[in-house]
């Protein structure tokens, strides 16, 4: 018709120019017809950044309404043709989330108005708008076709508003099979059908700027975690409002469900594969997949795990069983042979399982009995059986709850201490204590009944496997000794210190060891000493008592009480550390001396002991100048000495940083960890946060029968005092070395951006071998880290025959949950330094 119109005009022109005019007219006509056909062929034109935001907003409204009407009146074939997106070409898991959503879903979006009928809308149809700018709409059509090819418009079918997720993925050009396809790499293409967000015309840039700003704010070695976790956690925040978006089998759907994690039914999510809706995949996707496949294959082929052939066998602790280093010691007078002597290169071999090993008995039954074959040692039962430490009972090792000083049970002894010194106030004023020379840790095990956490420790010595017994029972403990170095704890953090026949010579060498307890004890805290010098009159005991009396007086410790437990026939002396410097200043003789002002009481990683005392903080805002709030109030509140003028680990004012971290972990635990990763929490008792900051993960688990060892790495900001202040406990450690615990100690290991940090300094395979050593068979490892680290760890776990319960990735951040198996390699590797 257009050609006829121009022909009638041209007939009036001169014949000499007829041919040239007809040629021009035909060309122009064909161009107009082509432009008209292209701009009117699609119901859903792409966005145009040159069109005002309000126009795009109206277009999307019309598109959403029309798509809903089409869904209810037309067949799937017509719908597929209209949207140029055929879900039938996609795998089931790519569209499962969308198909489970009700058509009324857009009504939940406050910015969308799907309830308006198409005939009631005053706006013009979308086909009319392209005539205003035909060239620009042609470009949009090209973008639209590109996006249809790679299947990124799957979510358009239901008109779901996913501006944030789609923008983030399109901007990065990342692949995520859970979304149903690969996001386009072009920077101008946004998925159609994003609801009527006011930012649709420029929706990509605000999201990109927000992400970049967040990265800048959290730049730095110890700020990476918040960026990644906030990106993951944004899904968690929406979970309660979007439960209806989940597919029936529990699979995660990034574009519609708003969940952080898929449920336990989803075994894993891989972001390696590109699922295409068209006939051809993109070269970028093909090349990326091939490179990642080759890398994964090479990594798995590169892991050749072997068993550790060592004298310690299934009880191997690399830094405590370095027999070569121990043999070269010039002296063992100060228990140097019980201290850490880590090899230059940590082992990459795996520790043997004891023959007949079984899944540990669950708490609280485990406090009374454990499987004999899990810790097959009888020497301690023979040596201490008469004191009710441990006994062999058939296939079990049983623990009557006694100890050297409380043969008739720990609970009676615990209550006796509280009656002797009411100021102790178990579970209120006294929440975190240090138990020195703990034996099998029955004291700490029964303190749980009084809401008290005990950090129990004892050396790996002739009391065979005492710490291993404690851990198998579900009681926190580590292998350590008071020797030549400071204990791996900050200064002034323990509410009380307990020693029941702990065999430590407190009085010798100027009281150096007792002065170490003074360092870690809070001002005003109690030292409970239950030992024979308190109540026996043998010459040696009398001599020790006199020496202790002189030493404690010189240290300004107040002897609060001496009482005798008639049931157990033992005496207990209780001392209190001064809460001011008044006594120190009045001493006639400065022995023991005060430490230099430059001596940091919190410096504890491989620091030699000093025979001196640190002054008590007196400033109202100094840590240690006030006693913490009573438990449990202290758990939720930022300590009084965290000031707004201080910058927290994640860049906010310190108190806000503390609160934000706690809220973050509460959301992650409640919305994800408790239900979303297939973890049976009844089987979890011993847990470790391998890279703790404020102890938020541990605090979020407070309602469970779980204790968490918070590890603050030696190269991280020193936040361990904050963890103790809130009534939790932890330890300093460097993961380039082995941890001071027996193999198979923990049911759950949690690592938040740990491995990406240690990879810069350590052999990652050795670190993962250490994870295998301390994790129990069938125990779980949860890792939050960068995607490339997640992939590498997943390959390591698979090479050890571990079960990959779940993987998840978003915006270059990932989450991995794996379960250790019973598998052990057949080949062995002799560790020469650990052979007797």
């Amino acid at each position: 018709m257009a050609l006829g119109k121009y022909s009638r005009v041209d007939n009036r022109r001169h014949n000499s120019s007829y041919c040239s005019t007809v040629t021009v007219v035909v060309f122009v006509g064909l161009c107009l017809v082509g432009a008209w056909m292209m701009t009117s062929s699609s119901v859903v034109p792409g966005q145009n950044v040159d069109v005002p935001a309000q126009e795009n907003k109206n277009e999307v409204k019309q598109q959403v309404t029309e798509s809903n009407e089409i869904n209810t009146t037309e067949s799937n074939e017509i719908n597929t043709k209209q949207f140029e997106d055929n879900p039938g070409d996609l795998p089931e898991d790519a569209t499962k989330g969308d198909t489970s959503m009700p058509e009324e879903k857009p009504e939940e979006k406050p910015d969308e108005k799907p309830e308006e009928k198409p005939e009631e809308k005053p706006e013009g149809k979308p086909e009319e708008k392209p005539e205003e700018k035909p060239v620009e709409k042609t470009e949009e059509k090209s973008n639209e076709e590109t996006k249809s090819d790679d299947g990124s418009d799957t979510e358009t079918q239901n008109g779901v508003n996913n501006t944030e997720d789609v923008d983030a993925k399109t901007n990065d050009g990342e692949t995520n099979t859970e979304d149903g396809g690969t996001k386009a790499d072009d920077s101008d293409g946004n998925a159609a059908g994003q609801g009527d967000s006011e930012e649709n015309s420029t929706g990509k840039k605000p999201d990109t700027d927000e992400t970049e700003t967040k990265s800048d704010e959290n730049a730095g070695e110890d700020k990476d975690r918040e960026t990644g976790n906030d990106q993951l956690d944004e899904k968690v925040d929406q979970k309660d409002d979007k439960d209806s978006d989940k597919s029936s089998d529990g699979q995660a759907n990034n574009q519609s469900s708003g969940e952080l994690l898929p449920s336990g039914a989803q075994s894993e999510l891989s972001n390696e594969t590109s699922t295409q809706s068209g006939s051809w995949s993109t070269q970028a996707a093909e090349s990326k997949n091939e490179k990642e496949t080759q890398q994964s294959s090479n990594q798995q082929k590169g892991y050749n795990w072997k068993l550790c052939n060592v004298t310690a066998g299934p009880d191997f602790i690399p830094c405590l069983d370095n027999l070569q280093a121990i043999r070269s010691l010039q002296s063992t007078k100060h228990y140097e042979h019980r201290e850490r002597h880590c090899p230059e290169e940590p082992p990459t071999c795996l520790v043997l399982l004891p023959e007949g090993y079984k899944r540990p008995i669950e708490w609280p039954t485990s406090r009374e009995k454990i499987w004999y074959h899990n810790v097959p040692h009888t020497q301690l039962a023979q040596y201490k059986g008469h004191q009710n430490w441990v006994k062999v009972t058939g296939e079990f090792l049983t623990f009557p709850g006694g100890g050297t000083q409380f043969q008739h049970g720990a609970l009676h002894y615990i209550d006796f201490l509280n009656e002797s010194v009411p100021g102790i106030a178990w579970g209120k004023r006294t929440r975190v204590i240090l138990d020195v020379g703990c034996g099998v840790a029955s004291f700490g095990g029964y303190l749980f009944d009084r809401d008290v956490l005990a950090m129990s420790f004892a050396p790996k010595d002739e009391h065979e496997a005492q710490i291993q017994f404690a851990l198998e029972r579900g009681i926190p403990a580590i292998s350590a000794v008071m020797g030549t170095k400071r204990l791996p704890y900050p200064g002034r953090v323990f509410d009380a210190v307990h020693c029941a026949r702990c065999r430590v010579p407190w009085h010798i060498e100027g009281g150096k060891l007792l002065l170490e307890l003074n360092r870690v004890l809070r001002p005003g805290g109690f030292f409970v000493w239950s030992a024979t010098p308190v109540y026996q009159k043998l010459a040696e005991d009398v001599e020790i008592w006199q020496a202790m009396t002189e030493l404690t007086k010189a240290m300004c410790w107040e002897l609060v009480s001496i009482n005798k437990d008639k049931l157990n026939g033992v005496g207990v002396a209780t001392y209190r550390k001064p809460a001011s410097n008044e006594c120190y200043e009045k001493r006639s003789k400065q022995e023991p001396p005060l430490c230099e002002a430059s001596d940091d009481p919190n410096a504890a990683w491989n620091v030699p002991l000093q025979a001196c005392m640190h002054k008590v903080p007196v400033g109202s805002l100094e840590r240690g100048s006030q006693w913490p709030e009573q438990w449990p109030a202290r758990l939720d509140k930022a300590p009084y000495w965290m000031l707004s003028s201080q910058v927290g680990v994640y860049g906010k004012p310190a108190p806000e940083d503390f609160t934000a971290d706690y809220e973050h972990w509460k959301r992650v635990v409640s919305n994800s960890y408790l239900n979303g990763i297939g973890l049976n929490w009844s089987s979890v008792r011993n847990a470790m946060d391998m890279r703790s900051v404020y102890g938020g993960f541990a605090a979020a688990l407070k309602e469970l029968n779980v204790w968490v060892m918070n590890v603050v790495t030696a190269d991280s900001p020193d936040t361990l005092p904050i963890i103790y202040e809130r009534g939790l406990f932890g330890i300093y450690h460097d993961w380039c070395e082995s941890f001071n615990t027996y193999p198979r100690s923990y049911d759950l290991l949690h690592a938040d951006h740990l491995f990406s940090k240690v990879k810069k300094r350590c052999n990652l395979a050795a670190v993962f071998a250490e994870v295998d050593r301390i994790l129990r068979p069938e125990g779980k490892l949860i890792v939050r880290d960068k995607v490339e680290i997640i992939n590498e760890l997943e390959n390591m776990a698979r090479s050890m025959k571990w079960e990959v319960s779940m993987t998840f990735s978003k915006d270059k951040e990932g989450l991995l949950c794996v379960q250790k198996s019973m598998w052990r390699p057949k080949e062995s590797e002799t560790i020469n330094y650990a052979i007797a």
Side-chain angles (χ1 to χ4, degrees), residues 698-718:
L701 297 176
K702 65 180 179 180
E703 301 300 329
L704 303 181
N705 282 325
V706 176
W707 60 266
V708 180
M709 180 69 74
N710 292 282
V711 177
V712 172
T713 56
D715 61 341
S716 296
D718 185 8

Side-chain angles (χ1 to χ4, degrees), residues 769-788:
E770 175 66 3
V771 167
D772 176 88
R773 190 185 71 84
I774 68 177
L775 186 63
R776 290 172 171 172
E778 300 187 7
K780 289 288 186 83
L781 167 68
I782 301 174
V783 181
R784 304 168 74 91
D785 220 307
K786 299 177 180 178
V787 168
E788 58 269 23

Side-chain angles (χ1 to χ4, degrees), residues 125-297:
K125 292 186 178 180
E127 295 87 347
E128 298 174 4
K129 295 198 173 189
E131 294 181 7
E132 299 174 8
K133 295 186 180 182
V135 177
E136 294 163 355
K137 286 296 178 181
T138 302
E139 295 173 353
E140 287 180 30
K141 174 66 180 178
S142 177
N143 289 342
E144 183 179 331
E145 290 174 343
T146 302
K147 288 158 67 173
S148 177
D149 286 343
D150 64 16
S152 62
D153 283 338
T154 304
E155 61 270 33
T156 306
Q157 184 172 341
N158 291 302
V160 179
N161 185 349
N162 286 311
T163 307
E164 180 176 346
D165 290 343
V166 174
D167 285 348
K169 297 236 183 299
T170 306
N171 196 40
D172 292 336
E174 290 187 0
T175 302
N176 192 330
T177 58
E178 198 169 17
D179 296 342
T182 305
K183 303 306 176 198
D185 290 337
D186 64 291
S187 60
D188 292 327
N190 280 340
Q194 291 177 335
D196 64 351
S197 168
E198 294 181 359
E199 295 178 355
N200 270 356
S201 61
T202 57
K204 183 181 297 294
K205 188 169 183 60
D207 252 2
T208 305
D209 291 341
E210 181 180 349
T211 303
E212 293 174 353
T213 303
K214 184 176 290 186
S215 296
D216 291 339
E217 289 175 350
N218 298 294
E221 182 174 334
D222 294 290
K223 299 180 182 179
D224 294 340
R225 200 275 298 163
E226 185 178 70
T227 304
N229 282 351
D230 281 352
Q231 291 169 343
L232 290 174
D233 190 41
E234 65 187 336
K235 294 287 184 182
V236 177
D237 296 339
Q238 305 171 29
K239 180 179 178 183
D240 294 336
D241 296 331
K242 298 190 176 182
D243 283 343
S244 62
D245 293 351
K246 294 170 62 178
S247 61
S248 60
D249 64 350
Q251 288 185 330
N253 185 345
N254 276 1
Q255 299 299 328
S256 60
S257 73
E259 280 193 277
L260 168 61
L261 303 171
S263 70
Q266 172 72 18
S267 62
E268 87 181 76
L269 168 84
S270 171
N271 68 342
E272 296 176 353
T273 314
S274 175
T275 305
Q276 305 296 332
S277 62
S279 301
W280 303 277
S281 63
T282 65
Q283 179 58 219
E286 291 174 348
S287 301
K288 179 181 179 182
N289 291 344
E290 178 60 23
K291 286 186 288 185
E292 292 185 354
T293 300
Q294 292 179 6
Q295 182 180 9
S296 175
S297 176

Side-chain angles (χ1 to χ4, degrees), residues 40 383 421 425 562 808:
S40 63
Y383 182 55
V421 184
I562 301 178
F808 180 87

Side-chain angles (χ1 to χ4, degrees), residues 615-637:
K615 281 189 173 183
V616 175
V618 293
S620 61
L621 298 179
E622 290 185 78
R623 182 174 69 84
S625 63
Q626 302 177 33
W627 196 265
E629 293 196 43
Q630 289 194 350
W631 177 263
R634 62 195 283 185
L635 178 71
D636 303 329
K637 298 181 180 178

Side-chain angles (χ1 to χ4, degrees), residues 288-442:
K288 179 181 179 182
N289 291 344
E290 178 60 23
K291 286 186 288 185
E292 292 185 354
T293 300
Q294 292 179 6
Q295 182 180 9
S296 175
S297 176
N298 292 337
Q299 285 181 338
Q300 289 198 25
K301 291 179 181 178
Y303 301 126
N304 183 23
W305 305 106
K306 297 180 180 180
L307 284 177
C308 298
N309 179 19
V310 294
T311 300
D315 299 335
F316 181 45
I317 305 176
C319 288
L320 298 182
D321 291 321
N322 187 347
L323 304 181
Q324 186 178 39
I326 292 173
R327 283 192 293 264
S328 65
L329 291 173
Q330 297 180 354
S331 172
T332 59
K333 179 181 177 181
H334 298 98
Y335 301 95
E336 291 90 345
H337 57 303
R338 307 299 184 194
E339 294 184 318
R340 291 170 60 84
H341 301 282
C342 298
E344 292 184 5
E345 294 294 332
T348 56
C349 55
L350 308 184
V351 175
L352 182 71
L353 291 179
E355 185 177 353
Y357 182 87
K358 298 181 181 180
R359 179 177 178 176
I361 296 173
E362 295 181 0
W363 180 271
T365 306
S366 61
R367 185 167 60 178
E368 279 73 43
K369 65 179 183 179
I370 62 174
W371 295 113
Y372 165 76
H373 287 290
N374 286 12
V375 191
H377 300 292
T378 60
Q379 181 178 332
L380 196 59
Q382 297 168 3
Y383 182 55
K384 292 288 188 180
H386 67 287
Q387 295 176 348
N388 286 330
W389 279 37
V390 57
K391 296 182 178 181
V392 180
T393 309
E395 61 180 345
F396 301 103
L397 290 168
T398 57
F399 300 86
T404 304
Q405 298 299 94
F406 40 91
Q407 298 181 22
H408 295 281
L411 273 179
H412 166 79
Y413 175 74
I414 290 169
D415 292 339
F416 162 74
L417 296 179
N418 200 75
E419 292 168 3
S420 301
V421 184
I424 290 179
W426 297 125
K428 296 180 180 179
R429 183 182 189 272
T430 301
R431 162 63 180 175
V432 186
I433 76 159
L434 181 68
D435 189 16
V436 183
C438 62
V440 296
S442 289

Side-chain angles (χ1 to χ4, degrees), residues 454-571:
M455 174 69 75
S456 303
F457 77 89
K460 187 178 184 182
D461 59 9
E462 66 273 10
H463 283 175
E464 187 181 40
Q466 52 187 335
I467 293 300
Q468 192 173 18
F469 283 138
L471 290 162
E472 186 72 15
R473 297 174 68 191
I475 303 171
I478 65 164
S479 290
V481 66
M482 299 198 71
T484 65
K485 298 178 180 178
R486 287 179 175 177
L487 295 171
Y489 313 114
R492 306 186 296 267
V493 293
F494 289 104
D495 303 331
V497 178
H498 174 257
C499 162
R501 292 286 289 275
C502 55
R503 303 172 64 195
V504 178
W506 302 116
H507 59 289
I508 67 172
E509 298 184 348
K512 182 180 290 188
L513 299 181
L514 194 62
L515 290 169
E516 172 62 1
L517 292 190
N518 186 77
R519 180 184 71 87
V520 299
L521 184 61
R522 288 188 188 279
F526 294 102
F527 172 56
V528 180
W529 187 36
S530 175
T532 55
V534 177
Y535 58 92
Q536 290 188 358
K537 300 302 181 182
L538 298 177
E540 182 183 7
D541 291 325
V542 172
E543 182 182 348
I544 294 175
W545 174 255
Q546 290 177 349
M548 280 290 286
T549 301
E550 293 176 5
L551 176 61
T552 53
K553 185 176 180 181
M555 293 171 59
C556 294
W557 281 15
E558 176 190 359
L559 180 59
V560 178
S561 74
I562 301 178
N563 287 288
K564 189 170 184 178
D565 180 2
K566 295 181 180 180
L567 178 63
N568 289 303
V570 300

